[in-house]
Amino acid sequence: MKFFVDTADVGDIRELAATGLLDGVTTNPSLIAKSGRDFIEVISEICEIVPGPVSAEVAAMEADAMIVEGRKLAAIADNVAVKLPLTMDGLKACRTISEDGTSVNVTLCFSPAQALLAAKAGADYISPFVGRLDDIGQNGMHLIDDIRTIYDNYPDLGGTQILVASIRSPAHVVEAAKLGADVCTIPPSVIKQLVQHPLTDKGLDGFMKDWAKTGQSI
Ligand code: G3P
């Protein structure tokens, strides 16, 4: 499973890219607003740091305008993936931008039917938002399970990758992996939580104390 980071914070992206664990980046208009930076400038900078796909989302609501914006975003760097909303206009723009040879990430997916449509429209990635479904008392992981089943039933759909988004915890990442999701896009804080276990810390502390007693060095 690939790991993307869900942020527009270049400092966090640099730090995580240095670990070698990062396969890509996703942003959205809220994350760009949080960064306080110019959209085009920040996407360009991220694309230089991370060679994998960097999702940049259009702001237009109508297909023709989405296509214009999507092509502008795609021109920033070869690794830009244009992010489009799961609306009829978004799907229409998805078909055109995919046919340009640009990677498309269809976002704001909350149902298996929507995921099926995105695959038929030629999306490279579908972004189901698990955390926001959990927030309203539904089970986001059931959506991932349903999409996996549907996509596996129809290999000729084109290989749309399931990019699990709106991740809130390490448990979401583990569940997504168990269900065979292709990608998780994870906030930096949750990526850091993934490595932590109290028994690892306790075990390492014990090993280091015993090592010191040996008086040796490597
Ligand atoms: O980038 C899309 C998604 O990951 C947003 O997550 O936490 O705003 O629901 P969240």
Side-chain angles (χ1 to χ4, degrees), residues 6 26-28 31 83 129 132 165-168 185:
D6 197 28
T26 53
T27 67
N28 62 39
L31 293 170
K83 209 171 177 189
F129 279 28
R132 292 192 194 186
S166 187
I167 281 181
R168 305 270 196 262
T185 188

Side-chain angles (χ1 to χ4, degrees), residues 5-206:
V5 64
D6 197 28
T7 186
D9 184 314
V10 170
D12 282 338
I13 293 168
R14 278 190 203 285
E15 186 186 341
L16 289 164
T19 67
L21 293 168
L22 210 55
D23 300 301
V25 178
T26 53
T27 67
N28 62 39
S30 304
L31 293 170
I32 296 294
K34 193 174 164 194
S35 78
R37 294 192 53 194
D38 176 79
F39 181 31
I40 303 294
E41 192 182 284
V42 80
I43 293 296
S44 174
E45 200 172 322
I46 295 169
C47 285
E48 282 176 18
I49 301 166
V50 179
V54 175
S55 288
E57 188 161 342
V58 301
M61 298 291 284
E62 185 271 326
D64 287 341
M66 286 179 186
I67 292 165
V68 170
E69 288 187 2
R71 286 177 172 157
K72 193 171 170 187
L73 296 173
I76 296 173
D78 288 344
N79 54 330
V80 165
V82 172
K83 209 171 177 189
L84 298 166
L86 218 158
T87 60
M88 203 53 90
D89 280 280
L91 294 173
K92 200 172 157 191
C94 176
R95 168 62 59 203
T96 302
I97 293 174
S98 296
E99 284 174 1
D100 285 349
T102 297
S103 186
V104 173
N105 174 4
V106 174
T107 189
L108 290 166
C109 172
F110 294 97
S111 80
Q114 290 180 319
L116 181 57
L117 291 178
K120 287 183 73 68
D124 275 326
Y125 300 98
I126 182 67
S127 290
F129 279 28
V130 293
R132 292 192 194 186
L133 281 170
D134 292 353
D135 290 346
I136 61 160
Q138 296 188 21
N139 187 328
M141 283 301 155
H142 289 170
L143 175 58
I144 304 307
D145 202 8
D146 285 345
I147 299 172
R148 184 73 282 158
T149 301
I150 291 167
Y151 283 6
D152 288 351
N153 280 347
Y154 298 99
D156 59 342
L157 266 176
T160 304
Q161 297 187 49
I162 303 172
L163 193 171
V164 183
S166 187
I167 281 181
R168 305 270 196 262
S169 66
H172 273 151
V173 179
V174 172
E175 285 306 308
K178 283 161 74 176
L179 292 169
D182 301 286
V183 189
C184 277
T185 188
I186 316 170
S189 58
V190 177
I191 294 185
K192 288 171 191 168
Q193 284 175 358
L194 285 169
V195 77
Q196 290 165 6
H197 196 287
L199 290 181
T200 303
D201 295 339
K202 189 178 171 196
L204 187 58
D205 188 52

